[in-house]
């Protein structure tokens, strides 16, 4: 299903700064007010935490996000993984959920280097242990 959605021209450049230079700890993306373009909503500076990322998510609207995880898996070594999130809380409007879902690949496909994807509908599904488990299974 094609959504007709476009992606802002600066997203790939800013994502690559995050991926290659660790300029940001996370990035959040939203659909603009005209409902025709995906734009950057927020950057997390390198000192921010996963808790900061979770707090930046709205309780009543959808977002996509990428978080730069650094996880020590003990004898299996350190893993650095970019995790893509599709955030669609129950309180968000149905139209928004449908549009964000239909438009996800417009954003996701060009973001090269994503290792893990999470879809979350409430804050409990953002449990860091669940993410670490997925990261430990990722190639």
């Amino acid at each position: 299903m094609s959504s007709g959605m476009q992606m802002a021209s600066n997203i790939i450049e800013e994502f690559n700064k995050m991926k290659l230079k660790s300029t940001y700890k996370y990035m959040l993306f939203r659909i603009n007010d005209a409902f025709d373009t995906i734009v950057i909503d927020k950057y997390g500076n390198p000192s921010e935490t996963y808790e900061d990322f979770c707090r930046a998510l709205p309780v009543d609207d959808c977002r996509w996000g990428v978080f730069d995880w650094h996880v020590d898996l003990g004898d299996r070594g350190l893993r650095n993984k970019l995790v893509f999130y599709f955030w669609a809380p129950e309180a968000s409007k149905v139209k928004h959920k449908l549009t964000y879902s239909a438009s996800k690949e417009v954003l996701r496909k060009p973001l090269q280097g994503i290792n893990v994807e999470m879809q979350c509908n409430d804050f409990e599904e953002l449990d860091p242990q669940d993410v670490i488990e997925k990261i430990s299974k990722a190639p």
Side-chain angles (χ1 to χ4, degrees):
M1 177 175 157
S2 175
S3 68
M5 192 68 58
Q6 297 180 28
M7 189 171 70
S9 60
N10 68 330
I11 288 178
I12 299 298
E13 179 183 349
E14 295 301 316
F15 172 77
N16 284 333
K17 286 180 188 178
M18 177 183 176
K19 178 174 76 172
L20 301 173
K21 299 178 182 177
S22 298
T23 304
Y24 314 114
K25 187 64 175 176
Y26 66 86
M27 295 174 70
L28 291 178
F29 308 91
R30 67 175 178 83
I31 297 173
N32 68 353
D33 293 338
F35 246 64
D36 62 1
T37 305
I38 298 168
V39 297
I40 297 170
D41 186 47
K42 180 172 176 31
Y43 301 96
N45 69 54
S47 65
E48 291 192 64
T49 66
Y50 186 61
E51 287 178 1
D52 296 321
F53 170 78
C54 294
R55 278 194 295 268
L57 295 167
V59 297
D60 60 353
D61 204 2
C62 301
R63 291 292 185 273
W64 300 285
V66 178
F67 190 89
D68 186 5
W69 279 87
H70 300 268
V71 178
D72 187 349
L73 297 175
D75 59 347
R76 295 182 14 216
L78 182 66
R79 298 276 173 95
N80 298 328
K81 300 288 182 184
L82 295 173
V83 178
F84 182 88
Y85 292 82
F86 173 26
W87 173 248
E90 293 298 323
S92 58
K93 295 177 182 176
V94 172
K95 177 185 176 186
H96 287 205
K97 290 180 194 178
L98 293 173
T99 306
Y100 273 77
S101 180
S103 304
K104 180 185 118 181
E105 290 305 313
V106 172
L107 174 65
R108 171 60 190 91
K109 278 188 178 181
L111 300 182
Q112 299 297 310
I114 301 285
N115 304 104
V116 176
E117 289 190 32
M118 302 285 293
Q119 179 169 338
C120 304
N121 301 95
D122 64 45
F123 287 100
E124 290 178 8
E125 293 177 343
L126 291 166
D127 186 315
Q129 290 306 314
D130 293 340
V131 182
I132 291 169
E133 183 178 331
K134 278 195 159 190
I135 289 171
S136 71
K137 295 176 183 176

